[in-house]
């Protein structure tokens, strides 16, 4: 195991080094939060794929394959579908807005009255998303070092907090690119073929397992529909995803780079399910499906390769964790705290150091995430709460704002409040893992949005005109100037 340990230590040290290097580039708010809005296609595709494919997609995706066979790919597959839909239909418009948060978009669309409550909902979502990723460190470090759960969470979480605090989105982008390469090599090029070969090939897998393991719909139609509702639509509106869209240097990068990343997710989904199916042949009686990934890695891979694949698992967790963390801190600082302290974001208190302020919030949110992760045990429940709140509370007003000009600020506020409260109440009544909360919560949100919007005065024509100008990419001069990106620095590829 000494070689495996060395691989992991070098990998973790590299993450910290990139955080330090990224600190030198993060000299303005734009550079710190959205990498100066100048990522080219290669870096944009890699970082987008890294943020959406986390521990749940890797360890959880293999676990679903162990439990259901090839149809276990559907959870990650719907994530890929959501990223494709976002990239093809919405990403260009989102990138042209030149904002930092989803709530800022809602303020622009509805006239500055919808951002506070939406910011609170988005903050809760990003916090829980970061917590679920941080909990996953315990599983990986237990396999690596037989480490205490709390210590594992503190160690893994501290590394992510450190490089995210130092360099912001530049550090996260650089580490994401390394993590993307490590995941591709470790999971797709090494673990997938080795697991299939160890299981005797596809013919032996079919002979050993029930036929439903090879039924593409074996997981059940209702489950697939729920995955689409939660993950596909969740990809369209999450702050962690939008913040990556904001990093694109142009419409074409956002559209085509995201399409490449979404297609990669589809392949990753199938790979995870196949690995899980092979693990079922090799270890038919595991105590938990989520143990499948670690068991195959620990028992079937040669020394050195094992370390690289475990580094791939760490990469998956860290990419999602860091993306959720900076999203959480951005929302907390820009959508909640700035309103409380009276800072007008573009031109307000010029003595306020935006980069330093965002660094402080990443550190504070990181400590909150680590503490919450130590207190919680169930990753699935935490992730379900996050996505139920996101989809039930924010899907309708966000997509409504992009697609329906008759939607009003009052309708948006009613939609967020009714949908969010309905989801919380229904989770209490039916249970956190039930499907009903997101179904009925989303319907309640839609009904409130349409009814209240039609019952109130249309959005002011001047607000809609300014909104259309932003959607067309004609941001006000002070917004463009505030980006403070040096023209001498070439766009990152």
């Amino acid at each position: 195991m000494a070689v495996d340990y060395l691989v992991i230590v070098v990998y973790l040290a590299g993450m910290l080094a990139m955080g330090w290097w990224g600190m030198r580039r993060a000299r303005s708010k734009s550079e710190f939060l959205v990498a100066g809005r100048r990522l080219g296609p290669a870096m944009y595709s890699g970082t987008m794929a890294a943020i959406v494919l986390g521990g749940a997609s890797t360890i959880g995706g293999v676990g679903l394959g162990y439990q259901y066979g090839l149809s276990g790919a559907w959870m990650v597959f719907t994530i890929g579908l959501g990223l494709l839909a976002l990239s093809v239909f919405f990403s260009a418009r989102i990138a042209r807005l030149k904002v930092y948060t989803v709530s800022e978009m809602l303020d622009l669309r509805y006239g500055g009255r919808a951002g506070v409550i939406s910011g609170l909902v988005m903050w809760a979502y990003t916090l829980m998303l970061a917590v679920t990723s941080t909990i996953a460190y315990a599983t990986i470090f237990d396999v690596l070092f037989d480490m205490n759960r709390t210590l594992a969470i503190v160690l893994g979480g501290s590394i992510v907090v450190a490089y995210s605090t130092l360099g912001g989105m530049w550090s996260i982008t650089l580490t994401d690119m390394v993590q993307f390469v490590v995941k591709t090599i470790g999971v797709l090029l090494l673990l997938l073929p080795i697991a299939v070969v160890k299981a005797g090939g596809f013919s032996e897998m079919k002979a050993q397992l029930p036929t439903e393991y090879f039924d593409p719909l074996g997981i059940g139609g209702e489950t697939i529909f729920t995955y689409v509702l939660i993950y596909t639509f969740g990809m369209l509106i999450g702050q962690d995803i939008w913040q990556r869209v904001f990093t694109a240097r142009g419409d074409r990068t956002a559209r085509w780079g995201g399409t490449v990343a979404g297609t990669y997710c589809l392949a990753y989904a199938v790979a995870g399910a196949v690995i899980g199916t092979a693990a079922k042949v090799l270890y038919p009686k595991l105590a938990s499906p989520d143990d499948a990934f670690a068991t195959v890695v620990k028992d079937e891979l040669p020394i050195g390769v094992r370390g690289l694949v475990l580094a791939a698992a760490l990469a998956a967790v860290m990419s999602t964790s860091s993306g959720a963390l900076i999203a959480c801190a951005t929302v907390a600082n820009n959508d909640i705290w700035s309103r409380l302290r009276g800072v007008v974001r573009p031109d307000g208190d010029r003595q306020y150091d935006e980069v330093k302020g965002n660094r402080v919030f990443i550190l504070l949110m990181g400590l909150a995430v680590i503490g919450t992760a130590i207190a919680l045990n169930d990753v699935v429940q935490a992730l379900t709460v996050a996505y139920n709140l996101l989809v039930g509370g924010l899907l309708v007003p966000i997509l409504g704002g992009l697609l329906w000009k008759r939607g009003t600020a009052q309708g948006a506020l009613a939609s967020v409040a009714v949908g969010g409260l309905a989801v919380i109440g229904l989770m209490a009544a039916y249970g956190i893992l039930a499907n009903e909360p997101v179904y009925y919560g989303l319907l309640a949100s839609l009904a409130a949005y349409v009814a209240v919007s039609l019952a109130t005065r249309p959005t002011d024509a001047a607000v809609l005109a300014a909104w259309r100008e932003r959607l067309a990419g004609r941001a006000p001069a002070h917004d463009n100037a505030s980006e403070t990106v040096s023209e001498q620095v070439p766009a990152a590829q």
Side-chain angles (χ1 to χ4, degrees), residues 48-104:
M48 185 63 86
I51 179 66
V52 300
L53 295 174
S57 299
T58 303
I59 298 170
V62 171
L64 286 171
Y66 183 89
Q67 190 172 3
Y68 298 105
L70 298 186
S71 66
W74 274 106
M75 183 186 78
V76 183
F77 203 84
T78 55
I79 290 174
L81 292 178
L83 187 51
L84 286 171
L86 174 72
S87 302
V88 173
F89 298 113
F90 299 107
S91 64
R93 280 184 283 178
I94 292 170
R96 287 197 294 264
L97 290 174
K98 294 291 189 289
V99 295
Y100 292 99
T101 68
V102 175
S103 295
E104 287 184 51

Side-chain angles (χ1 to χ4, degrees), residues 72-162:
W74 274 106
M75 183 186 78
V76 183
F77 203 84
T78 55
I79 290 174
L81 292 178
L83 187 51
L84 286 171
L86 174 72
S87 302
V88 173
F89 298 113
F90 299 107
S91 64
R93 280 184 283 178
I94 292 170
R96 287 197 294 264
L97 290 174
K98 294 291 189 289
V99 295
Y100 292 99
T101 68
V102 175
S103 295
E104 287 184 51
M105 166 264 169
L106 292 174
D107 277 348
L108 285 171
R109 168 60 181 81
Y110 295 112
R113 290 174 288 174
V116 178
I117 187 171
S118 65
L120 289 171
V121 174
M122 189 64 78
W123 174 79
Y125 157 73
T126 53
L127 179 71
M128 295 306 291
L129 185 62
V131 166
T132 60
S133 300
T134 304
I135 291 173
Y137 294 125
T139 301
I140 300 170
F141 280 104
D142 178 57
V143 175
L144 282 172
F145 308 115
D146 193 23
M147 187 179 290
N148 172 270
R149 178 182 183 275
T150 299
L151 182 59
I153 289 173
V154 171
L155 176 60
S158 296
I159 292 171
V160 169
V161 172

Side-chain angles (χ1 to χ4, degrees), residues 173-344:
T173 298
L174 295 171
T175 54
D176 276 356
M177 286 305 299
V178 175
Q179 288 158 355
F180 171 74
V181 172
V182 171
K183 279 192 290 191
T184 301
I185 296 173
V187 175
L188 297 184
L189 302 183
L190 293 176
L191 184 58
L192 174 61
I194 289 174
V196 171
V197 170
K198 291 283 187 178
F202 285 104
S203 58
E204 184 64 20
M205 290 162 61
K206 288 185 176 181
Q208 293 287 335
L209 296 173
T211 55
E212 55 264 28
Y213 264 70
F214 301 92
D215 179 358
L217 303 179
I219 199 170
E222 183 179 355
T223 299
I224 295 171
F225 178 73
T226 302
Y227 285 158
V228 170
L229 202 61
I230 294 177
Y231 297 116
T232 300
F233 285 107
M235 288 296 106
L236 299 180
I237 58 175
Q239 169 68 25
D240 52 322
I241 309 302
W242 277 41
Q243 200 157 342
R244 298 311 173 97
V245 176
F246 299 151
T247 66
R249 74 181 182 202
D251 296 1
R252 187 177 179 85
T253 296
R255 183 180 294 112
W256 292 109
T259 300
V260 170
T263 304
Y264 178 88
C265 291
L266 303 184
Y268 201 87
V270 175
V274 171
I275 292 167
T277 304
K280 184 66 175 180
V281 174
L282 295 168
Y283 309 97
K285 298 186 183 298
L286 289 178
S288 168
D290 285 342
D291 293 337
F293 180 90
T295 303
V296 172
V297 171
K298 192 174 183 178
D299 295 347
E300 302 297 333
L301 299 185
I303 294 173
V305 173
R306 179 169 50 206
L308 183 59
V309 174
L310 286 172
L314 270 178
V317 175
M318 285 185 165
S319 57
T320 300
S321 181
S322 59
L325 176 59
I326 194 172
C328 180
T330 302
V331 171
N333 189 18
N334 288 262
D335 295 334
I336 301 173
W337 175 243
S338 67
R339 298 169 192 267
L340 295 177
R341 65 186 296 274
V343 175
V344 179

